[in-house]
Every structure is written in C-alpha cells, then in structure tokens.
Amino acid sequence: MGCVFILWSIDSCACPAHSNWYGRSNQLIRLPASTAACKQHSADSKEYAFEMACSSVRYGEGVTGEVGMDFANLRTKRVLVLTDRNLARLPLLKVALGSLHSSKVEHTVYEDVSIEPTNESYEDVIELVRCKPFDGFLAVGGGSVMDTAKVANLFSCCPDNQLLDFVNQPIGRGLPVTTPLKPLICVPTTAGTGSETTGVSIFDHKPLRAKTGIAHRSLRPLLGLIDPLHTLHMPKNVAAFSGFDVLCHALESYTALPYKERQPRPLNPINRPAYQGSNPISDVWARSALSMIQRFFKRAVLDAGDLEARSAMHLASASAGIGFGNAGVHLPHGMSYAISGLARSFSSEGYSPSKSLVPHGLSVVISAPAVFQFTAAACPERHLEAAMLLGADTSRAKLADAGRVLADTLRGYMHELGVADGLRALGYGEGDIPALVQSTLPQHRVTKLSPQSFSEEQLSQLFRSSMTVY
C-alpha cells in the first residue's frame, strides 16, 4: 500500500487541546495513502463528518443598548435597520436606534418587513439593497425580520444573482454562497425562531404556495443580542406559538436522522448542508432547551410579567437554535410549510388580522403528536428521553411506548396553552390532504432528516391523524 509522509511543524504543547499526535513538533507522520487522500465515495456514500457553526451571542437585560458601539467597533459606516410596522411603534426599536445615534452610526430604517415573508417581500428588500449601498445590517424583530435581513445582506453582496439561485433544491438552484457577507447583528424580540444563531432564511414561495428557503452557514448573523426585556412585549399567543417553535426545534434536532446516516456525502465540504443530522454537540443544546422548556414555557405564556420565565425561554430559543441550526429539523417543520402555505382564512389573536396567517409555531406543533408517534420506532430511547425532559414520568415506560408517551406529553402542553384542536380547526379538511402532501414532498432539506423513512401514503396518514389532536 502506498504511503504519504506529512511533516508537522507545530510547537509542541502539553495542554489537553494540543497534546495528541497532531500537536507534536517537527514530527514526520506516516499515513496510508487511502487515509491521507480525500475519502473517495460513490453517490450513495454516507456522511462521515459534521461541523458546528454558530453566531456569537450576547445575553443580558439591556444589551440592545450596546449595538451602536458594536457597529462603531466594526467601523461600519452605513447600516440598514430592518423591522416591521408593529415593532416600529414599540420602545425596543427606539433603544436600538438611540444606540446607533449615540455612536454616530449612519442608518436607514426599513419597516416594511412582511410577517411570514414571501418571495415578493424578499424581492422588495433585494431591490432596495441593489440600489443603495450598505455595509452593515441590523435586524430588530422576530424570525421574519431576521430572515429578511439575511436575504438583504446576501443580495447586497451578490447583486447580480436572482433569489432562486440560492433557494434550496428542488424549488431553487441551491447554489452555495461563496462571497463574504457584511456584518449582520440581530436583536430577537420573540422567544421562538432562534434565527439569530442560524444560517437559514425561510419564506413563502407564492407561485407554488409552499414554504422554502435559503440555508447556508454564510448567512449566519455575526452577533445575536439576546435582550430578555424585549420578551415582555409579546402577546400571549405570540409567546405560546413562538415557544412551541422552540420546543419543536429541540425535539426535531434531537430525534433527527444521525449525521452518519445522511447521504450522499458531499464531494466538497462547501456543499455540506447546514442541516446535517443529529450529532453529539447539537444534542447538548437540544437537551438543554427541552429542560428549560419544562421549567419555564407554561409560566412564560400564562404570565406576561414573569421576567424570569420569559428570559429563560429567550435563552432556550437560542440554545435550540444552535442545536437545530446544525442538526436540522424534520417532518413537523416540513409539513408546517404546507400548512402555512396553503392557509385560506385563519387568523389568531396577537397577529395582524389583515391577511390569512397560520403562525409558524402553530403550523409546526399541530402535526407534532402524530409525527413523533410515527418516528419513535426509529429511535425510541431518544423519544422517551425527550418526554422525560419535558416532564413526563417515564420510569415504567417501555421502548414500545415511546411514541405514545411523547405524543401525550405534547398534547398536554398544547391543551393547557390553548392550541386549536388540529388541522380541522385551522380550516382544513380531508379533501385538502392530497395538496398538503404534494406541498410537503419538495421539502427535501428537512424531510430527508426524518429518522423514519416514509411513503406518500404514510405522509397522508400523518396529515389525516392531525385533523384533530385531542
């Protein structure tokens, strides 16, 4: 067998991080050629590696007031501030703008972000950044605002590309982002999406009436300023539905297909997806989020003035974001894109009544009991542990009970926090199932991470089982 010799010229070090073979100074290492060479693989080769990518985060009451200094330290001259019209009326935006003003950072405010963005609302902000030069971006808002800011940043640096160039396949071309982006700082105002930590931007693609998105590590914000004071402004339903998004982020990433089972392995690491499958590091963040949810979620929804609980859920959102931002989500999110994309006439208190809107967290959790009862057969130990972390007594549960136990635990949370009784309550009926299935099938980015493979008929049954929840 041929061999490759590698000369390492790294100063030796006795610390635990560098005391292995790769920390030895000027040592000639003899490796088999098959090991030293890039791993050869066929189209169906399974993955062998995962990588962690995460934004820096700063947590604390009042940290929004530091954002001006952050941009000044970056020598940023012209910042685009993105928010929505509801938030533009609240004090939290004034705090951010006051900080920019104090640090003499020139800025322009864009408050036309659409809640649950569409390809059309993205095109509007893309046109803005093509016409005006900005060298930094600030998002003050929930997931819709932060996702829109990521797109603004991307097309500020890639003005000659079209939106679908970077959108996930098969809806878009799925091109990798190879151009360095500009500083983006996010100030999340809801405890839900975790978008301040991820390289994912989701929108409704109106021509197909389906949600899709752009997913690449380059889209990650430079910094997330997690200021718990902002969560005190969340209406009850916003706190509930954004909290269910946190819960599903943690559950789905923890139960996702293990990263070593994902295939095909990319030919080039630049093509390794942001959503890679469950892995040991994401697991830590998911478990942490589930534990915080068990202690604080219900309190945060039922008492808007409970700063401890709302602060904890804000932190849980970021923890789950770090986990799912690298492991991914699976069927509840994949199905949710169809549920929200095909909505006809649903509105919820606390959200704008001007258009039909199924809030994202609601569209995700509505199928979760059915999904986790289905996927439990693939990894029952994880489903049982998740139920235990959420407060279920699993001391006498058998592995065969894992799906039922976790599904019942979820129903308990949903019932206590006032979630509608299934898809039927959101305006859907049996006749909508074929369209829901067809709208879900293109969501390969997430559905392929289901730990349990599924057929179209099984997907139909999951929607059928979700028509009622209780």
Side-chain angles (χ1 to χ4, degrees), residues 140-157:
V140 181
S144 297
V145 173
M146 292 185 279
D147 285 4
T148 301
K150 293 173 187 177
V151 167
N153 191 8
L154 174 61
F155 285 91
S156 173
C157 301

Side-chain angles (χ1 to χ4, degrees), residues 51 66 80 138 154 209 221 226-227 279 334 337 406 414:
E51 55 187 271
E66 298 181 354
L80 178 63
L138 171 62
L154 174 61
R209 298 190 68 193
I226 304 172
D227 189 338
N279 61 77
Y337 299 150
L406 182 53
M414 294 167 72

Side-chain angles (χ1 to χ4, degrees), residues 78-80 106-110 124-137 152-153 155-157 159 182:
R78 192 176 296 104
V79 172
L80 178 63
E106 181 183 337
H107 56 276
T108 299
V109 178
Y110 180 82
D124 289 342
V125 77
I126 289 170
E127 185 62 28
L128 171 65
V129 298
R130 281 174 174 157
C131 296
K132 295 184 179 180
F134 299 99
D135 58 359
F137 296 86
N153 191 8
F155 285 91
S156 173
C157 301
K182 299 167 184 175

Side-chain angles (χ1 to χ4, degrees), residues 68-372:
M69 291 181 282
D70 288 319
F71 278 114
N73 292 339
L74 291 166
R75 294 180 170 81
T76 308
K77 303 298 184 184
R78 192 176 296 104
V79 172
L80 178 63
V81 181
L82 297 100
T83 191
D84 64 59
R85 291 190 179 277
N86 292 327
L87 290 170
R89 299 193 299 266
L90 297 177
L92 49 91
L93 180 65
K94 295 178 181 177
V95 174
L97 297 181
S99 180
L100 293 174
H101 180 76
S102 296
S103 294
K104 297 180 173 55
V105 176
E106 181 183 337
H107 56 276
T108 299
V109 178
Y110 180 82
E111 58 183 47
D112 290 330
V113 171
S114 175
I115 304 304
E116 301 296 334
T118 67
N119 57 297
E120 293 173 352
S121 70
Y122 274 6
E123 292 288 4
D124 289 342
V125 77
I126 289 170
E127 185 62 28
L128 171 65
V129 298
R130 281 174 174 157
C131 296
K132 295 184 179 180
F134 299 99
D135 58 359
F137 296 86
L138 171 62
V140 181
S144 297
V145 173
M146 292 185 279
D147 285 4
T148 301
K150 293 173 187 177
V151 167
N153 191 8
L154 174 61
F155 285 91
S156 173
C157 301
C158 304
D160 295 330
N161 285 96
Q162 302 303 312
L163 177 60
L164 289 180
D165 285 347
F166 300 110
V167 168
N168 306 310
Q169 294 179 339
I171 293 174
R173 297 178 64 194
L175 296 181
V177 180
T178 57
T179 302
L181 303 190
K182 299 167 184 175
L184 165 61
I185 297 178
C186 288
V187 181
T189 58
T190 61
T193 67
S195 187
E196 70 275 9
T197 68
T198 75
V200 179
S201 178
I202 302 297
F203 67 96
D204 284 318
H205 188 53
K206 295 180 77 171
L208 297 179
R209 298 190 68 193
K211 277 189 181 286
T212 185
I214 302 172
H216 197 275
R217 294 174 187 83
S218 297
L219 268 66
R220 293 191 328 272
L222 177 69
L223 174 65
L225 295 178
I226 304 172
D227 189 338
L229 295 176
H230 297 330
T231 64
L232 297 177
H233 296 279
M234 284 193 298
K236 180 180 178 180
N237 273 355
V238 176
F241 297 146
S242 60
F244 277 117
D245 197 21
V246 179
L247 192 161
C248 289
H249 284 156
L251 277 181
E252 290 174 62
S253 66
Y254 191 58
T255 59
L257 185 78
Y259 77 95
K260 284 188 176 181
E261 294 300 313
R262 198 190 76 251
Q263 59 186 39
R265 188 166 71 230
L267 292 168
N268 187 312
I270 197 173
N271 294 318
R272 181 164 283 120
Y275 287 180
Q276 303 163 85
S278 61
N279 61 77
I281 301 179
S282 287
D283 288 350
V284 173
W285 293 99
R287 284 195 296 259
S288 174
L290 290 171
S291 296
M292 285 189 279
I293 289 166
Q294 188 273 325
R295 295 180 59 197
F296 297 109
F297 183 20
K298 294 176 184 178
R299 283 174 50 187
V301 174
L302 299 175
D303 183 358
D306 189 336
L307 180 59
E308 180 188 25
R310 291 210 164 187
S311 298
M313 285 302 296
H314 215 21
L315 197 56
S317 175
S319 296
I322 296 169
F324 92 85
N326 293 280
V329 288
H330 56 86
L331 279 174
H333 269 77
M335 294 168 68
S336 81
Y337 299 150
I339 293 166
S340 57
L342 297 175
R344 290 186 290 267
S345 58
F346 183 84
S347 61
S348 180
E349 185 178 352
Y351 293 82
S352 173
S354 60
K355 66 176 183 178
S356 179
L357 172 69
V358 178
H360 175 63
L362 174 58
S363 71
V364 173
V365 78
I366 208 75
S367 69
V371 167
F372 288 109

